[in-house]
Each structure stands twice: as structure tokens, then as C-alpha cells.
Amino acid sequence: MSKRVLTTESGAPVADNQNSATAGVGGPLLLQDQHLLEKLARFNRERIPERVVHARGSGAYGYFEVTDDVTGFTKANFLGEVGKKTETFIRFSTVADSLGGADAVRDPRGFALKFYTEEGNYDLVGNNTPVFFIKDPIKFPDFIHSQKRDPFTGKQEADNVWDFWAHAPEATHQITWLMGDRGIPASYRHMNGYGSHTYQWTNEAGEAFFVKYHFKTNQGIRSLSADQAAELVGKDANSHQTDLLQAIERGVNPSWTLYVQVMPAAEAAEYRFNPFDLTKVWPHSDYPLQRVGRLVLDRNPENVFAEVEQAAFSPNNFVPGIGPSPDKMLQGRLFAYADAHRYRLGVNHTLLPVNAPKATTAQNYGRDGAMALRNGSRHDKNYEPNSYQGPAQTDAALSAPLAIHGWTGTHEAPQHTKDDDFFQAGELYRLMSEDEKKRLVANIAGGLSQVSREDVIEKNLAHFAAADADYGKRVAEAVNALRED
């Protein structure tokens, strides 16, 4: 079998790929060596800006299969029939570190899922925790700056991390999650995934429901202690990537069961917690889990850059029957995610294979821009409405309208009867076993004891005490013991 011919990017054959052209034997290089210049110029441009958050990630393809009838809650086509399967792509990630960071670190994990449905792509962008540190997107850049590398030292600083949390009492719930036993998953396969935000489902009759997504791992929860994680990072910084890749290659296909909590829209206003507050959960005793289907991962990407690094997830990619809620963090992400991809990948990133619809065809009037691949023919108009049978609107809303009232301006979120920053953090602490509490306290104290300012330490201790008196007392004692050593 003859070898394929190596060519330049313009298709011309390459005569020598081992030696650059020179002015005589041993002489200086020639500017006319087009192959050399093309290789070096392309090499200089191989990297694109990494994600500001969720930079380090892994991905896989699979499918979602409906196992239970949920047509009473949503008209979404891909959820419309028991047994129906939809192709999916998922990207797991850490949040705070850079692209070269380690996998087995104490950090929330991204759980971003793309459904290639017959009505367009639906992106569900969540985490492995059901809550988050903040509830208003105006604080998000500041939060991330406090968790990323310090501009002067070039590394994450305990002073920055805990100083921000000292001024964000609503973070106490998520801190309790993060510093607890599930803060470092053993692998991506052994953690749950959550939509985290509240979303809206609408059925065929136009009835609206608010929902929360829960993907429960069928492999079982497995996590690492701080010591186990440190040892694993030393052996394989890419441990989660290695585990996911090898499991699927062996045919051990990881899976999750999807459940939802469903709240009739009319109940939201009087619920004891603000149902749109990302720092809160809905207790299962109030809204039990209802099974929907099964997510299975069965195929690895062929090229990590093309299919994982260039994968773009946008929470504003909805399909009929699914829409947003008044969740302020979700509302902010509806803009921020798509805008980040337009910056990183360009305005035509939705034409890349991993991002393009697979079960349908995108038809719109978007034209031009860098790397435009689909500009239409001489017969296609680039305006609407037109008289040439171009794509037209359906007049059918994707989701039910949300009622609004009041004055424009900056407002704090409306208070519900049980709304405070500490109650649910205390509830989570009181659910823990004695051994779990000890590990939680040790994990918090290990970081908080490194803070240089006493006032920052005291503010954080006050948050834990407000969640639970015993919780605060134990953390204070552990911090004091470490600072005295």
C-alpha cells in the first residue's frame, strides 16, 4: 500500500519535511521556504484562549433514554416518549484552575450536557453540587478573581479565597458541600450531576412548572480524602481524564439516572425558600424526585481539542417545552456563556461539528464573520421576512410567559419565610455523621488557618456559627489549634 502524499495547506506536495531550505550548505534560511513558514506560523496559532472558568475538562459522547412518562410536565420532543433515545455530548471540568491544572483537587465539577434533539440542541449546564457560592451574577467576576491565581504571587491565595467568602455569607451552604466528603470526587464517573439552577417546563396545555435536575451516578458515589487526592495528583495529574477514557475504551460505559423535582409554577411565590436562589435546595420532602431517564456515555472523542476544548455550551440553548426561570444567576449565564464562546471560538462556533445540531438542521439568516462555512447560495436571502420561501418564525413560544411587576432598578431578591444564608448550611451539617463532621472541620480549618487577617477569620467563623453553634465552635477550635502550632 503506497503512502499518502504529505502536502502544504494549499494542497501542494512537500518534497522534504526534515530539512529547511538554506542559502547553500550550512547557510541561513530562505524566506521563500513556504512549507517552513506555514508550519511555524500555524504552530504559533495552535492555542486558543482557554476558558476563564472550567478550563480543565474531559468529554464523551453517549445517549439519553427516556424511561418514564413526563409529558404531563413538558412538551419537549426528546422527552415525549418512553424508550426514545437522543445523542448527547458531555463535558466534565474543574472550575478554578487553568487548563494545565490537576484533576483530583478540591473544587466543584462542571457537568455540562448537550442533547442533540430533533428540535435543536438543548444545553444543560450544571455542576456536581446542587447549590453555588453566590446568587447574583454581578458578583461572579469578583468571586472567580478571588479563587484564581493572585496577580502578584501567581498562585491561589487563602487570603483572597476566604476574604471573599467572609463578605458573602450566602456561600456558607456551598462551602459546607465543598469542604465535606464529596469535595474531591474519585472520578467523573463516581459523582452526581445537577442542573443546579431552576428551569421552567411547559406542557402541551401551556401549564408551567419549575424543575430542578438531578443526575444520580449509577456507579455509586466515591470521593477522595485530601491525603488520597494529594497522592493521586503526584502519580497522575490527569487522573479523571485517564479514568473516563479507559473506562469507555474497555466498554465499561458510565451512566446516570435523571430525576427531576417538579414545582407547579403557582406554588413558587409562597414557597418557604426562594425557589430561584442558587444557594438553596428544595428539600426532597417538599418536592420528591421523579425519575425521567438514563444517561449513558459510550464513545470517546477522537480529538480532544476539536471536540472537548471547542465544545461550546450555552444555557440559552432551549427547545420547545423548556425555558428559563427568574433565577438571577441563570439569567446572567444566558448571556455570559454564549458571549464567552464568541470570544474564544468566533461567531461561527455553532458550525463546528461538536456544536452543530445533529438531529436537525440550523436554518437562519446568520451570515459572514470569521470562518463562515454556511452562507447560502445566490437564491438565499439574508433578511426576513422575504418572498423567497426563507425560514420563518413559528409563532409558538418555547415556554410559558413569566409574569412580572414592579419598578426597574437594582433590588435584593424577595425574601421567603425561611430565606437566610445559614439555615440550609446548618441542615446539611446536622445530616452528617460524626466522622463526616470531623473531616469537614479539618478541611475548612486547613485553609482558613492560613489567612493572615484576624478579622477575615472572625467573619467566616461567625458564618459557620450562624449555621450551627456546634459547627462554628468546632471550626474555631480547629483554626486556633493550627494557628498556635
Side-chain angles (χ1 to χ4, degrees):
M1 182 178 178
S2 61
K3 290 185 177 180
R4 291 182 295 163
V5 173
L6 176 65
T7 74
T8 65
E9 293 186 28
S10 62
V14 173
D16 191 340
N17 193 43
Q18 313 306 317
N19 302 286
S20 303
T22 61
V25 177
L29 300 182
L30 297 176
L31 187 63
Q32 71 184 39
D33 189 344
Q34 183 256 357
H35 181 50
L36 169 65
L37 300 186
E38 184 177 81
K39 284 186 71 175
L40 293 179
R42 169 167 281 279
F43 181 74
N44 286 342
R45 294 162 175 80
E46 279 184 359
R47 296 294 173 261
I48 60 176
E50 69 174 44
R51 291 167 168 86
V52 177
V53 289
H54 297 278
R56 169 66 186 156
S58 303
Y61 291 95
Y63 63 88
F64 179 79
E65 180 180 8
V66 178
T67 58
D68 294 77
D69 182 10
V70 290
T71 55
F73 305 121
T74 179
K75 62 181 178 182
N77 178 274
F78 79 101
L79 298 175
E81 182 181 352
V82 172
K84 187 176 181 64
K85 291 184 178 180
T86 300
E87 184 179 356
T88 61
F89 181 80
I90 194 168
R91 186 177 185 271
F92 304 104
S93 57
T94 52
V95 174
D97 213 344
S98 60
L99 186 58
D103 286 343
V105 294
R106 189 173 298 279
D107 199 16
R109 299 299 191 276
F111 194 97
L113 187 59
K114 187 181 296 290
F115 298 84
Y116 299 103
T117 89
E118 295 162 345
E119 298 176 298
N121 291 352
Y122 171 46
D123 290 353
L124 181 60
V125 185
N127 285 325
N128 72 326
T129 62
V131 293
F132 197 60
F133 298 93
I134 55 176
K135 52 189 173 185
D136 193 305
I138 204 167
K139 299 177 73 170
F140 188 73
D142 301 295
F143 165 62
I144 293 301
H145 289 163
S146 75
Q147 310 297 302
K148 299 284 275 189
R149 297 175 186 270
D150 182 84
F152 172 66
T153 67
K155 61 190 183 74
Q156 190 181 61
E157 293 291 346
D159 275 357
N160 299 346
V161 171
W162 288 96
D163 185 36
F164 181 88
W165 287 343
H167 293 88
E170 70 269 29
T172 308
H173 193 184
Q174 173 72 319
I175 293 169
T176 306
W177 266 88
L178 181 61
M179 298 299 175
D181 281 359
R182 295 191 184 187
I184 313 178
S187 79
Y188 290 132
R189 296 183 297 129
H190 294 93
M191 68 181 194
N192 292 339
Y194 301 89
S196 301
H197 296 289
T198 300
Y199 294 90
Q200 186 203 78
W201 277 7
T202 308
N203 64 17
E204 286 286 1
E207 297 173 308
F209 303 86
F210 293 119
V211 300
K212 283 187 175 291
Y213 295 90
H214 301 252
F215 289 85
K216 299 289 189 178
T217 175
N218 294 325
Q219 290 70 238
I221 294 289
R222 283 183 51 202
S223 302
L224 302 172
S225 68
D227 290 341
Q228 290 172 324
E231 181 180 355
L232 182 57
V233 167
K235 293 179 178 178
D236 181 7
N238 305 303
S239 57
H240 288 28
Q241 165 71 9
T242 301
D243 176 85
L244 182 66
L245 176 74
Q246 293 182 351
I248 295 176
E249 288 296 291
R250 296 195 314 268
V252 181
N253 298 330
S255 66
W256 288 258
T257 299
L258 171 61
Y259 299 87
V260 292
Q261 290 176 283
V262 180
M263 174 190 293
E267 297 181 11
E270 300 302 323
Y271 187 47
R272 56 190 174 127
F273 305 110
N274 180 351
F276 312 117
D277 181 347
L278 187 55
T279 68
K280 304 285 195 305
V281 298
W282 303 353
H284 294 179
S285 57
D286 294 344
Y287 296 99
L289 296 179
Q290 302 188 47
R291 194 175 65 176
V292 180
R294 185 171 66 117
L295 171 68
V296 179
L297 304 183
D298 60 5
R299 179 164 64 92
N300 282 311
E302 293 294 318
N303 185 287
V304 171
F305 176 80
E307 299 166 88
V308 179
E309 185 65 12
Q310 293 195 128
F313 300 85
S314 299
N316 58 2
N317 286 345
F318 292 113
V319 293
I322 304 178
S325 78
D327 180 334
K328 294 178 77 172
M329 282 295 292
L330 173 59
Q331 292 283 325
R333 295 174 85 196
L334 297 180
F335 162 77
Y337 272 60
D339 187 58
H341 302 317
R342 293 184 190 106
Y343 162 68
R344 292 183 62 246
L345 304 170
V347 72
N348 286 305
H349 68 273
T350 55
L351 304 182
L352 297 171
V354 70
N355 299 322
K358 296 183 183 297
T360 187
T361 302
Q363 301 184 83
N364 54 57
Y365 295 91
R367 296 289 188 274
D368 306 332
M371 303 299 174
L373 300 175
R374 190 194 66 225
N375 265 16
S377 71
R378 70 175 72 180
H379 305 294
D380 296 313
K381 304 302 178 182
N382 64 344
Y383 57 88
E384 198 279 334
N386 62 62
S387 304
Y388 297 86
Q389 286 71 56
Q393 65 194 43
T394 65
D395 293 322
L398 269 64
S399 56
L402 295 171
I404 59 172
H405 65 277
W407 300 95
T408 60
T410 57
H411 305 286
E412 291 187 6
Q415 289 293 300
H416 292 235
T417 56
K418 281 288 186 179
D419 270 347
D420 65 58
D421 294 324
F422 309 111
F423 176 78
Q424 289 199 353
E427 291 283 271
L428 178 58
Y429 175 80
R430 290 184 285 274
L431 284 173
M432 296 180 179
S433 68
E434 181 60 27
D435 286 343
E436 288 174 325
K437 290 177 180 177
K438 289 179 180 178
R439 290 189 291 267
L440 168 68
V441 168
N443 290 332
I444 293 173
L448 189 54
S449 63
Q450 299 176 42
V451 174
S452 60
R453 292 180 54 133
E454 290 292 339
D455 60 327
V456 172
I457 294 175
E458 291 303 320
K459 286 178 182 177
N460 280 285
L461 292 176
H463 295 168
F464 299 124
D468 184 276
D470 178 67
Y471 189 7
K473 178 174 179 290
R474 291 193 189 196
V475 174
E477 290 173 349
V479 169
N480 290 334
L482 289 173
R483 289 173 69 81
E484 289 170 359
D485 288 343

